Amino acid sequence: MAKPETKTEFFYTERGLIAIDSPVKLQILNLLREEPKSFDEIVKYTAKAKSTISVHLNNLRASELVEENSDPEDRRKKIYSLTSQYMGCSREPFLEHYRSLLEKVAENGNDRFCFMEALFHVLRFGFEAYGIDNAPVVRMIGRDIGKCLSANFESGTPEALFNEIAVFMEFHGECRVSVLIGDSPALQVEDDFKARYMPAIGKPFCALREGILEGILKEKMGNECGVLETECYGTGHKRCLFEITI
């Protein structure tokens, strides 16, 4: 049986942001984030009574977080899918890293470029300092940016597009970017000034860049492309590695 959630999570619908703290509702929503599930699969996953799950699903549908459809193979069965976007969650405040960033803002007050870079990171990690993991919404904003940027890229093949993106990243990021072609193509970012001077926090911190890359690729290639940062300066690696799935 899956362990019930104990935090608050945030989901976005056309009606706005909705906060959910019910452990059972969060179990259902996080299951549906993977893929649509049948009623019986949800009952099995949560280990709750059918009547309990029915009540929670009706509530989630009323909030426009979930939708119900008939199973095309058996119209007597119902399939539930997520109709909202996961935006983040509450978390234990993490102040140490935030304080070091505030010190960098003060240290770089006379350097316009470094000051703005430090200020960006303060805004990004200030949310975590006050108990909010906002990486999912930062990634989503990155995808929106990537979609808008996609019109600036002209390459007609995946490999050429990867190389064009690498040049773009080097120009704007003051870093060295390599295209790794294999079973799973990837973009490798090294000597990133901004990232190298960020303390290792035990997890990737390039959610915005991850989203931008995904937005460009999805818009240009017309496929369900995915980008996942598997190595990062934030996890103690000497590079940032963005793996691409097509």
Side-chain angles (χ1 to χ4, degrees):
M1 181 180 70
K3 184 179 178 181
E5 301 284 352
T6 58
K7 57 189 175 184
T8 298
E9 297 189 1
F10 308 102
F11 293 81
Y12 177 78
T13 72
E14 292 183 355
R15 294 166 55 183
L17 198 66
I18 298 176
I20 301 293
D21 59 9
S22 161
V24 178
K25 286 187 175 67
L26 289 178
Q27 282 185 289
I28 295 171
L29 290 168
N30 286 313
L31 176 65
L32 297 182
R33 281 171 58 191
E34 299 172 3
E35 61 181 356
K37 298 289 184 182
S38 69
F39 180 81
D40 288 340
E41 287 175 316
I42 295 171
V43 169
K44 181 179 179 180
Y45 175 80
T46 59
K48 299 295 181 181
K50 290 185 176 181
S51 58
T52 299
I53 296 305
S54 181
V55 169
H56 283 299
L57 283 171
N58 286 337
N59 185 271
L60 291 171
R61 290 172 58 203
S63 299
E64 298 181 7
L65 294 169
V66 166
E67 70 176 3
E68 175 189 274
N69 291 291
S70 296
D71 187 333
E73 297 182 359
D74 185 348
R75 302 194 66 81
R76 294 171 299 176
K77 296 181 179 180
K78 301 298 181 183
I79 299 294
Y80 295 88
S81 57
L82 202 66
T83 55
S84 51
Q85 295 282 347
Y86 175 66
M87 304 296 282
C89 64
S90 60
R91 54 158 294 157
E92 182 179 350
F94 183 61
L95 291 170
E96 181 179 356
H97 180 48
Y98 181 57
R99 288 170 180 154
S100 71
L101 287 173
L102 290 173
E103 292 174 0
K104 288 187 180 296
V105 170
E107 291 170 1
N108 292 289
N110 295 322
D111 185 318
R112 182 181 300 174
F113 177 79
C114 290
F115 176 80
M116 292 305 297
E117 287 294 336
L119 193 61
F120 168 78
H121 288 300
V122 166
L123 290 173
R124 165 70 176 84
F125 292 101
F127 282 90
E128 292 194 2
Y130 287 100
I132 301 174
D133 178 7
N134 71 334
V137 68
V138 170
R139 192 174 192 275
M140 186 177 298
I141 292 170
R143 284 200 296 266
D144 293 338
I145 295 171
K147 289 178 181 178
C148 291
L149 286 173
S150 65
N152 298 323
F153 296 88
E154 300 177 350
S155 301
T157 65
E159 188 170 349
L161 178 59
F162 299 155
N163 283 298
E164 191 177 2
I165 291 173
V167 172
F168 178 85
M169 292 174 68
E170 287 185 345
F171 177 76
H172 289 284
E174 295 190 1
C175 55
R176 186 171 72 253
V177 183
S178 304
V179 178
L180 308 181
I181 300 296
D183 294 336
S184 178
L187 291 170
Q188 174 181 268
V189 181
E190 298 174 289
D191 295 332
D192 189 329
F193 175 81
K194 298 186 292 297
R196 282 190 291 116
Y197 289 93
M198 294 285 286
I201 59 175
K203 64 178 182 178
F205 52 59
C206 302
L208 183 67
R209 182 179 281 170
E210 192 179 48
I212 290 173
L213 290 173
E214 190 168 276
I216 294 172
L217 292 172
K218 282 187 174 182
E219 198 70 13
K220 294 299 294 184
M221 300 178 67
N223 297 318
E224 282 304 311
C225 300
V227 176
L228 179 65
E229 186 181 19
T230 56
E231 295 182 21
C232 182
Y233 287 96
T235 53
H237 292 89
K238 301 302 181 183
R239 64 178 183 174
C240 289
L241 187 67
F242 298 89
E243 294 190 1
I244 302 166
T245 58
I246 304 173

